[in-house]
Amino acid sequence: MGKLCWWCAKTFSGFTEMKKALLLVLFFSGYFLPCFSANVHGNITDEKNQPLPFVNVFIQGTSTGTTANVDGNYSIDLEPGEYNLVFRMIGYRQRTERIILPGTSLGMNVQLFPESYLLKEVKVSASSEDPAYDIIRKAQKKRKYYLEQVKSYSCDAYVKSTQRITSYPKKILGQDVDLSEILDSSTGIVYLSESVSKLYFKQPDQYKEVMVSSKVSGNNRAFSFNQATDVLFNFYENLVDINGVSKRGFISPLAPSAFFYYRFTLEGTFMENGETVNKIHVVPRRMNDPVFQGDIYILDDSWRIHSTDLFVTKKQQVEFLDTLRIHQSFVPVEKNIWMNFSNQLSFVFSFFGFHGRGVVLGINNHYNIHPDFIPHFFNGEVMKIEKEANKKDSAYWEKMRPVPLISEETRDYSKRDSTVKIHESRSYRDSVDRKSNKFSLSDLLIGGYTYNKSYSHESFSFSPLTRHLQFNTVEGLTAGMDVSHSKRFKDDPWRGITFGTLLRYGFSNSHFNAYFYYHKRYDPSRLASYTVSAGTEVIQFNNQKPISELINTVYSLVSEENFMKIYEKRFASFQRQSELFNGFSLELYAEYADRLPLVNTSGYSIFHVPGHEYTSNDPLNPATDNFHFKRNQSLSLDVNARIRIKQQFMTRPEGKFISGSKYPTLGIQYRKGMKDIAGSDVDYDLISASVADRIKLGLIGTFHFHIAAGKFLNEKSFYFMDMHHFNGNQTILSAFRLNGFKLLNYYQYSTTNFYTEAHGEQELGGLILNKIPVIRKLKLNEVAGIHYLHTGQLKNYVELAIGIEKLNFFRIDFVTSFTNGRHAATGFVLGMKGIF
């Protein structure tokens, strides 16, 4: 049944009881049917009576409409009345039907025929060019106007995402691959989700989306990850940025530089509502440039975009995707104003033996291009999902869904949703847990083990012995285990507690260390948590761990070089972090520690390399075990503030998620050593500041930088671990931290004086290598970097680096360094980002 009109309800409330009774009789007799919406539905076929998918169906002169599904079925709810219903699809002649809705449903099947394109008469000469170039030039002149024409708007946005896996390997690295829990074998659907949102926009680039309803197949507790702006591509921009697909973006056919990258051909013209539409074929001049190919449709006289059918392939340096296609359609909503009505993003992917495809469909309708936004409406919240969004029933979706489901989607919803109650029952979850909780010896040694109690949202786990298996010259061979218990509050993935202990034993020094920790996350809206820890641990003098235990183990056993320097800490600490308001977070860390020097107890190495010899565990006196510091006690307080101006974020029922800022991230740190409190021996004050950002520079890629400076305001009493250390590297292996050096000694330049360091890296995204035959097939990303350090001891230290990386993970760099303008060192470093 339809919806009662607001004015009917308002009028009805003012009548007497007798009149109300009479009106009710008339109402149910059919006299007030105009107050209800009616439905128009049907099937759309082509000239061969085959279903036409994704045909746009809308009321002429408005953005009210829908899109046909894959089977060509459409459905649209309208108030009773007379309408001109438009059926439009790229490549087919538009059809307009005059309909009269008396207040009941109307079935209407429609057949569309291929568009007949007319070619303009062109005088051919040796110097003549295709007429498409003149059309593109005129569209380029209007590009900025249309980009900025609409100052603000609001609209309703529907998004449906369907993703399928068509084939996958049965085993990966000897391990069975089982997708039965997430994959419908009959349809291949692995993810199906719908959402309805209200989308708001204000120039130049402020968006806000409020998701009012969400549906995820097979999980009625989940909230969709659909986002209307993810499929809202703007070809009036010079570069079309498709997140996660390219580091450089793709050049629009309407960009000022388009003639350098594209060839254009006028395929023909056709008439639509008295206007001439030009179909222009877009062909890349060089297939390996970041460009589109396909067709773009431009209106004569106004020179605006009518629709697009453009795609990119893996030749355009696209990782994992074989093809990505963008269909767009625009409709007039006011005089001389056309708005984006439908977006269809379809893709085919393949990686590591997995093959599949997906379609994300977005419908934007009911535009208001003169919205009245309250002050501070755009407050950085780019996405908000209402808490009741996933509570809508099937009747709601039947009414609100602008695109009918196809049979496979209906079957997927039915099959998965019918098993939801079973899968959420205690008996089912316990049965799954019994299967997954089976223990094997390999869990103890390699994989680790987790005992789940999924119904109560609890788990008990321990890490494998091999994870903490390492060698250093202080402890010799060491083994350890992380044992923990976690509990999450029901239906709240953010709130929860974790407590556990980290155990560690050194076989050479016969010493056991263990510490306990308790971590609680308690306020998702402020990303708030606290941690309490106490016990003993062995840590590096630089607590940022400039060398990993794995690299130190390899170098010690193979090359007889022990770069990692450590001490023992017996401590108790408290850490709390939270956002005080959007963009400003504060972290407090207080620690009391008893700190002990450690000496080498093992000289073992598999190979004895001539000229290599283990050094002592004292970073300042590598030739002797006479430690430069004695056992001491420290009480310290760290206050760290992080500031993101105009920080953007998403608010989901699970909590707050930071999505970044257009401005750099500022950091302010203060550390205080407090003497004579509980026997503390330290007295110092260190203040420092940092700024970091990631800047997209269009076709030349992305620039990352991190700049920091600091000064000890007071250094009356401190020890080596209290000094400021830099993230150096003396091995061929690196984790490639942005704020790290690649050829700098780990501790030689640690300081209590003023220091400045700056790091910058430019990712070129294949700008050079994709022009080289054969090599371009590897899809490598070029990286160039510069790293600078200034201290009281080291005046001007510079590293220059060039390198290549794959999948933003594997990387190799050639590096050269200079001290005060003189060449210092040269070398290669390689590794996996974030691993070593």
Side-chain angles (χ1 to χ4, degrees):
M1 184 172 287
K3 296 180 293 183
L4 183 63
C5 295
W6 174 86
W7 64 266
C8 286
K10 189 72 175 176
T11 304
F12 185 76
S13 65
F15 288 146
T16 65
E17 295 300 319
M18 184 174 294
K19 288 182 178 179
K20 288 181 181 179
L22 178 59
L23 282 172
L24 285 174
V25 173
L26 295 173
F27 179 82
F28 287 107
S29 300
Y31 281 90
F32 280 86
L33 283 177
C35 297
F36 288 83
S37 62
N39 177 265
V40 184
H41 59 275
N43 184 256
I44 307 171
T45 57
D46 62 13
E47 76 284 3
K48 297 179 181 179
N49 292 316
Q50 295 299 309
L52 267 181
F54 306 118
V55 176
N56 293 317
V57 183
F58 58 93
I59 301 304
Q60 191 175 55
T62 75
S63 62
T64 299
T66 183
T67 295
N69 65 16
V70 174
D71 296 329
N73 296 321
Y74 74 95
S75 176
I76 181 172
D77 290 331
L78 299 170
E79 298 295 334
E82 296 185 14
Y83 300 95
N84 288 326
L85 195 60
V86 179
F87 298 83
R88 189 172 82 183
M89 182 176 180
I90 295 174
Y92 288 81
R93 192 178 310 142
Q94 177 177 296
R95 181 169 174 175
T96 303
E97 292 289 337
R98 183 69 175 175
I99 62 172
I100 300 176
L101 287 179
T104 56
S105 294
L106 174 66
M108 184 171 62
N109 296 330
V110 173
Q111 189 174 33
L112 299 184
F113 294 89
E115 185 63 73
S116 299
Y117 294 100
L118 302 175
L119 287 176
K120 295 181 178 179
E121 293 185 6
V122 180
K123 294 181 179 179
V124 180
S125 66
S127 60
S128 65
E129 65 175 8
D130 194 283
Y133 287 87
D134 184 54
I135 296 171
I136 292 295
R137 288 191 190 96
K138 292 175 179 178
Q140 287 174 337
K141 291 179 181 179
K142 300 284 285 187
R143 180 193 66 82
K144 188 175 181 182
Y145 170 76
Y146 290 128
L147 183 64
E148 302 173 350
Q149 180 186 24
V150 177
K151 304 306 179 184
S152 60
Y153 69 78
S154 66
C155 70
D156 295 331
Y158 166 82
V159 179
K160 180 174 69 175
S161 176
T162 309
Q163 299 176 29
R164 290 176 168 84
I165 291 181
T166 54
S167 65
Y168 62 92
K170 302 305 179 184
K171 289 182 179 290
I172 294 181
L173 300 176
Q175 300 295 314
D176 292 334
V177 177
D178 183 8
L179 301 181
S180 59
E181 288 290 325
I182 62 172
L183 178 65
D184 184 336
S185 58
S186 63
T187 64
I189 294 177
V190 69
Y191 180 78
L192 171 60
S193 175
E194 297 175 277
S195 63
V196 175
S197 302
K198 195 73 176 179
L199 182 63
Y200 306 93
F201 168 79
K202 182 180 180 181
Q203 290 282 8
D205 55 5
Q206 297 184 81
Y207 284 96
K208 184 170 185 174
E209 181 176 349
V210 180
M211 186 181 294
V212 297
S213 52
S214 161
K215 185 174 179 63
V216 179
S217 181
N219 192 341
N220 57 20
R221 296 179 184 271
F223 294 90
S224 174
F225 286 95
N226 293 344
Q227 200 165 346
T229 51
D230 284 346
V231 290
L232 198 62
F233 305 109
N234 194 338
F235 286 92
Y236 290 121
E237 297 277 4
N238 290 329
L239 282 177
V240 179
D241 187 16
I242 306 176
N243 287 328
V245 174
S246 170
K247 292 179 179 294
R248 302 166 61 194
F250 298 92
I251 301 162
S252 168
L254 300 187
S257 60
F259 294 131
F260 180 74
Y261 294 96
Y262 294 104
R263 291 187 176 91
F264 300 98
T265 304
L266 179 62
E267 296 281 295
T269 66
F270 61 91
M271 298 299 294
E272 184 178 281
N273 299 326
E275 295 188 82
T276 301
V277 183
N278 301 281
K279 178 185 179 182
I280 298 176
H281 192 53
V282 179
V283 179
R285 290 183 179 272
R286 295 165 296 277
M287 288 299 297
N288 297 285
D289 282 339
V291 291
F292 294 95
Q293 51 189 310
D295 300 301
I296 186 168
Y297 296 77
I298 304 293
L299 283 163
D300 248 7
D301 297 329
S302 62
W303 313 115
R304 58 162 50 90
I305 297 175
H306 169 276
S307 50
T308 68
D309 181 11
L310 298 167
F311 64 94
V312 297
T313 70
K314 54 187 176 182
K315 291 184 178 181
Q316 279 80 47
Q317 294 291 305
V318 175
E319 293 287 357
F320 303 129
L321 295 180
D322 295 330
T323 306
L324 185 146
R325 183 181 292 269
I326 300 173
H327 290 270
Q328 286 186 322
S329 181
F330 292 78
V331 298
V333 296
E334 282 193 10
K335 184 179 180 180
N336 198 36
I337 296 179
W338 288 51
M339 299 297 293
N340 184 294
F341 174 70
S342 68
N343 299 276
Q344 181 192 332
L345 179 68
S346 55
F347 53 90
V348 178
F349 64 86
S350 60
F351 61 93
F352 303 130
F354 290 84
H355 300 273
R357 55 191 170 87
V359 176
V360 183
L361 177 65
I363 305 294
N364 302 324
N365 52 25
H366 304 131
Y367 276 95
N368 176 10
I369 59 173
H370 305 289
D372 185 15
F373 297 126
I374 63 174
H376 310 296
F377 177 77
F378 294 95
N379 59 354
E381 186 180 45
V382 295
M383 181 77 180
K384 179 181 179 181
I385 300 180
E386 295 184 349
K387 291 183 178 180
E388 300 299 314
N390 63 351
K391 300 295 190 295
K392 305 298 191 295
D393 59 17
S394 58
Y396 167 87
W397 282 104
E398 286 294 328
K399 189 67 179 176
M400 294 298 296
R401 180 184 290 125
V403 182
L405 297 176
I406 62 174
S407 57
E408 289 181 342
E409 293 167 342
T410 301
R411 188 163 65 250
D412 188 78
Y413 272 135
S414 177
K415 181 178 179 180
R416 292 180 190 268
D417 292 350
S418 65
T419 61
V420 166
K421 290 185 178 181
I422 297 175
H423 288 174
E424 291 182 350
S425 68
R426 182 163 194 164
S427 59
Y428 178 83
R429 291 195 175 190
D430 288 347
S431 68
V432 173
D433 288 343
R434 281 193 296 271
K435 181 180 178 180
S436 64
N437 289 342
K438 291 181 179 180
F439 176 78
S440 66
L441 185 60
S442 63
D443 295 330
L444 178 64
L445 298 176
I446 302 175
Y449 176 74
T450 298
Y451 181 87
N452 285 307
K453 296 174 65 177
S454 56
Y455 189 78
S456 57
H457 306 284
E458 292 183 79
S459 65
F460 168 83
S461 63
F462 60 78
S463 62
L465 291 173
T466 52
R467 178 178 298 178
H468 298 284
L469 189 67
Q470 56 140 322
F471 176 86
N472 63 71
T473 54
V474 173
E475 301 169 286
L477 180 67
T478 70
M481 180 179 290
D482 187 356
V483 182
S484 65
H485 174 269
S486 297
K487 180 173 177 58
R488 177 173 59 84
F489 299 141
K490 186 176 181 181
D491 299 331
D492 191 338
W494 173 264
R495 298 178 192 269
I497 59 173
T498 301
F499 61 87
T501 183
L502 182 62
L503 311 173
R504 175 173 175 147
Y505 182 77
F507 288 91
S508 179
N509 65 349
S510 302
H511 189 64
F512 178 79
N513 289 284
Y515 71 85
F516 167 86
Y517 59 89
Y518 176 88
H519 177 70
K520 182 175 182 179
R521 303 179 305 275
Y522 61 92
D523 187 350
S525 65
R526 295 184 178 274
L527 304 175
S529 66
Y530 69 82
T531 305
V532 179
S533 305
T536 65
E537 67 172 333
V538 174
I539 64 171
Q540 298 186 44
F541 285 94
N542 182 351
N543 60 14
Q544 296 187 59
K545 299 180 179 180
I547 182 172
S548 74
E549 294 177 339
L550 175 60
I551 293 178
N552 183 73
T553 297
V554 172
Y555 266 80
S556 297
L557 296 178
V558 176
S559 186
E560 206 171 358
E561 294 177 286
N562 56 329
F563 294 114
M564 189 172 72
K565 307 302 177 183
I566 55 180
Y567 70 98
E568 182 177 317
K569 182 174 71 171
R570 303 171 182 176
F571 72 101
S573 66
F574 175 81
Q575 180 186 34
R576 182 186 183 276
Q577 57 186 19
S578 174
E579 267 200 333
L580 301 186
F581 52 86
N582 184 50
F584 185 89
S585 61
L586 191 67
E587 178 187 7
L588 302 177
Y589 181 78
E591 178 189 84
Y592 180 83
D594 181 16
R595 307 182 294 191
L596 293 78
L598 300 174
V599 297
N600 290 340
T601 65
S602 175
Y604 176 77
S605 181
I606 298 174
F607 304 103
H608 294 282
V609 181
H612 288 189
E613 184 178 352
Y614 283 140
T615 59
S616 76
N617 189 48
D618 187 342
L620 297 183
N621 300 307
T624 176
D625 281 330
N626 295 325
F627 238 83
H628 71 281
F629 81 90
K630 60 181 181 179
R631 181 176 181 175
N632 64 86
Q633 288 73 46
S634 168
L635 177 63
S636 61
L637 174 67
D638 287 75
V639 181
N640 301 313
R642 187 191 65 193
I643 304 167
R644 285 196 179 108
I645 301 173
K646 294 187 176 180
Q647 174 180 269
Q648 295 182 339
F649 62 96
M650 294 185 288
T651 303
R652 296 176 61 90
E654 307 98 314
K656 182 177 182 177
F657 296 83
I658 308 301
S659 55
S661 170
K662 295 186 298 181
Y663 300 92
T665 299
L666 307 177
I668 301 174
Q669 302 84 32
Y670 173 71
R671 188 166 84 236
K672 171 66 178 176
M674 295 173 281
K675 193 172 184 179
D676 298 330
I677 301 177
S680 176
D681 299 316
V682 296
D683 184 2
Y684 62 86
D685 296 88
L686 170 63
I687 188 168
S688 59
S690 63
V691 57
D693 202 5
R694 173 178 175 268
I695 304 173
K696 290 187 176 182
L697 298 176
L699 292 180
I700 62 174
T702 304
F703 180 65
H704 305 256
F705 73 86
H706 177 93
I707 302 172
K711 180 177 177 58
F712 279 81
L713 305 177
N714 161 38
E715 47 182 309
K716 292 180 181 179
S717 179
F718 63 91
Y719 295 85
F720 185 70
M721 61 282 290
D722 300 316
M723 299 174 69
H724 182 79
H725 308 286
F726 303 99
N727 293 321
N729 181 51
Q730 295 174 250
T731 74
I732 196 174
L733 301 173
S734 174
F736 294 103
R737 305 184 197 183
L738 177 61
N739 65 338
F741 297 91
K742 299 175 178 63
L743 301 177
L744 185 71
N745 187 285
Y746 292 112
Y747 292 108
Q748 183 177 352
Y749 302 107
S750 299
T751 185
T752 57
N753 295 318
F754 174 79
Y755 69 87
T756 302
E757 61 179 311
H759 309 267
E761 288 186 350
Q762 177 71 33
E763 296 180 344
L764 297 176
L767 177 66
I768 300 171
L769 296 179
N770 74 344
K771 294 177 173 60
I772 304 175
V774 181
I775 291 180
R776 66 165 65 109
K777 294 182 179 180
L778 299 175
K779 297 181 182 179
L780 300 174
N781 174 35
E782 313 92 334
V783 183
I786 181 170
H787 305 269
Y788 172 82
L789 177 63
H790 174 92
T791 70
Q793 180 184 0
L794 187 63
K795 297 301 181 182
N796 291 293
Y797 175 80
V798 177
E799 288 182 357
L800 301 176
I802 56 172
I804 54 176
E805 68 176 17
K806 175 69 174 177
L807 301 176
N808 201 33
F809 185 58
F810 302 100
R811 179 168 163 180
I812 181 171
D813 278 13
F814 172 76
V815 191
T816 185
S817 63
F818 301 86
T819 302
N820 296 324
R822 296 183 178 181
H823 181 261
T826 297
F828 284 92
V829 291
L830 56 92
M832 294 176 284
K833 293 175 71 173
I835 300 297
F836 290 135

